[in-house]
Amino acid sequence: MPAEFISVTFPNASNDLHPQPQAPIDPAYLQRYARTLDDYGFNYTLIPYASSSFDPFTIGATILAHTKNINIIVALRPNTVYPTVAAKALATLDQLSGGRVVVHFIAGGSDDEQAREGDFLDKEERYARQEEYIRILRRVWSATEPFDFDGKYYQFKQFISNVRPTKGHIPISLGGSSDAAYRIGGALCDIFGLWGEPLAETKQQIDRVYEEAAKAGRTDRPRIWVTFRPIIAETDELAWAKAHKVLDQLNANREKGLSRKPISSAPPANVGSQRLLDIAARGHVHDRALWYPTVTATNASGATTALVGSPQTIADSILDYIDLGADLISIRGYDNYNDAVDYGRYVLPLVREGLRAREEASEQAGKDGGKKAAA
């Protein structure tokens, strides 16, 4: 399967550079944003989730109603929706869209954030519950007869759903950097998501996911999704100047209490954020153009690593990760809408051109090899 691109859809013009606290949904903005992603050839868009955010199922339905091709990735925390209800809701969206739905599971990286919605399980239990949840979804989507489920976290009797996914299944995604995430994602999921780390560390994580898939007896492997926050300009020099302006604005917003993580925030509890901060402490720039000061400026709040450079530098950096084994590349900016347009205009075409060149070179090498064998 060829490499594909993921973005993130936002319900209003608020962004990390110019935050608008408690901004309501702007329907016109949401529709324009979604259509822009569709028009510029993004393959997926993530609908993120937080305890204080808008309902991702409703946002997803709106996106699907105003686009033709793009797939939505609905972020879902198991504590928020009972699995049989989620299975039907996802399958309903899938039918309405002709099969354009993916679900991305979040076990929860913060005990405080989970507690805001009544979830007091510890991290290990959250992952164990998530595993039950995934198994239930797959069973609901495939069962032809009523069935019982008697797990630690979910119990029900004689459930059957008449709402089937369009293609018989809905892809399931999971992300993380903990042992439990690798184990569950490698064993059960179609997609495994990683934050943007240097190539060496990314390769280690990919190998770990593949190892867990093999342990589970799988003959296939999860697709690998890697996320970056590119900062681009016409030249590398201009891009670096822009990057430092972005960093200054992120720091200023944090000092004003306008960032997602205030200066007084405790160090993050989740392994993924801890890894990002550890890497940031080793240096600002890694590999071609992977930049880490945006990580420290946000206390590693989510996907925060930047790629900095001209469109060609960004494209070459992305191709490095594709060569490594990632085939789902998530790129979202700090100026959400304008960056999405720039990526669609200047980055996606270059990456796809690079992939075509690789494919042609591989085909030519195969032909040349065949000629030598025949001779």
Side-chain angles (χ1 to χ4, degrees), residues 159-342:
F159 180 80
I160 187 71
S161 173
N162 294 322
V163 189
R164 304 287 179 180
T166 304
K167 300 168 186 174
H169 73 284
I170 290 172
I172 292 175
S173 169
L174 182 148
S177 299
S178 67
D179 290 340
Y182 296 139
R183 178 179 59 80
I184 297 171
L188 297 178
C189 294
D190 304 286
I191 297 167
F192 194 91
L194 302 171
W195 286 339
E197 296 189 6
L199 291 165
E201 285 81 356
T202 302
K203 180 64 164 59
Q204 291 169 359
Q205 292 196 87
I206 293 173
D207 288 346
R208 181 66 189 280
V209 174
Y210 288 170
E211 178 185 332
E212 293 295 338
K215 284 182 183 177
R218 291 180 62 167
T219 56
D220 64 340
R221 293 169 166 178
R223 301 181 72 192
I224 301 298
W225 160 5
V226 182
T227 299
F228 305 100
R229 304 285 292 272
I231 301 171
I232 71 169
E234 187 175 356
T235 67
D236 286 344
E237 183 180 13
L238 290 172
W240 282 108
K242 179 179 176 181
H244 285 285
K245 290 180 181 178
V246 167
L247 181 61
D248 289 344
Q249 189 63 51
L250 292 175
N251 283 323
N253 288 343
R254 196 173 185 203
E255 289 176 1
K256 296 174 185 176
L258 295 175
S259 64
R260 284 180 287 173
K261 294 290 183 180
I263 293 176
S264 59
S265 294
N270 61 304
V271 176
S273 292
Q274 292 170 2
R275 286 176 62 101
L276 294 186
L277 289 170
D278 288 344
I279 295 168
R282 298 188 341 230
H284 287 181
V285 182
H286 301 263
D287 303 322
R288 285 183 195 265
L290 188 65
W291 197 48
Y292 265 72
T294 49
V295 170
T296 53
T298 56
N299 198 29
S301 177
T304 49
T305 46
L307 291 172
V308 181
S310 67
Q312 189 63 61
T313 296
I314 300 299
D316 288 341
S317 298
I318 290 171
L319 287 165
D320 288 339
Y321 284 88
I322 293 173
D323 290 340
L324 204 65
D327 57 359
L328 289 163
I329 305 297
S330 176
I331 50 176
R332 55 174 283 222
Y334 288 95
D335 180 4
N336 300 330
Y337 180 81
N338 292 321
D339 285 341
V341 171
D342 283 345

Side-chain angles (χ1 to χ4, degrees), residues 53-132:
S53 64
F54 297 105
D55 172 53
F57 288 90
T58 311
I59 297 289
T62 302
I63 294 168
L64 292 171
H66 291 89
T67 56
K68 296 180 181 178
N69 300 305
I70 199 164
N71 298 270
I72 62 167
I73 304 175
V74 178
L76 178 61
R77 288 182 182 168
N79 60 296
T80 61
V81 185
Y82 201 77
T84 55
V85 178
K88 292 184 293 181
L90 290 163
T92 299
L93 284 176
D94 198 62
Q95 286 193 22
L96 286 169
S97 64
R100 292 192 283 141
V101 174
V102 177
V103 59
H104 177 70
F105 279 98
I106 305 170
S110 164
D111 291 345
D112 292 341
E113 168 69 3
Q114 294 301 122
R116 291 185 183 112
E117 294 188 293
D119 184 16
F120 298 98
L121 298 183
D122 63 27
K123 182 180 177 181
E124 291 304 313
E125 284 192 291
R126 292 199 297 267
Y127 272 105
R129 177 182 60 191
Q130 185 168 257
E131 183 172 1
E132 277 192 18

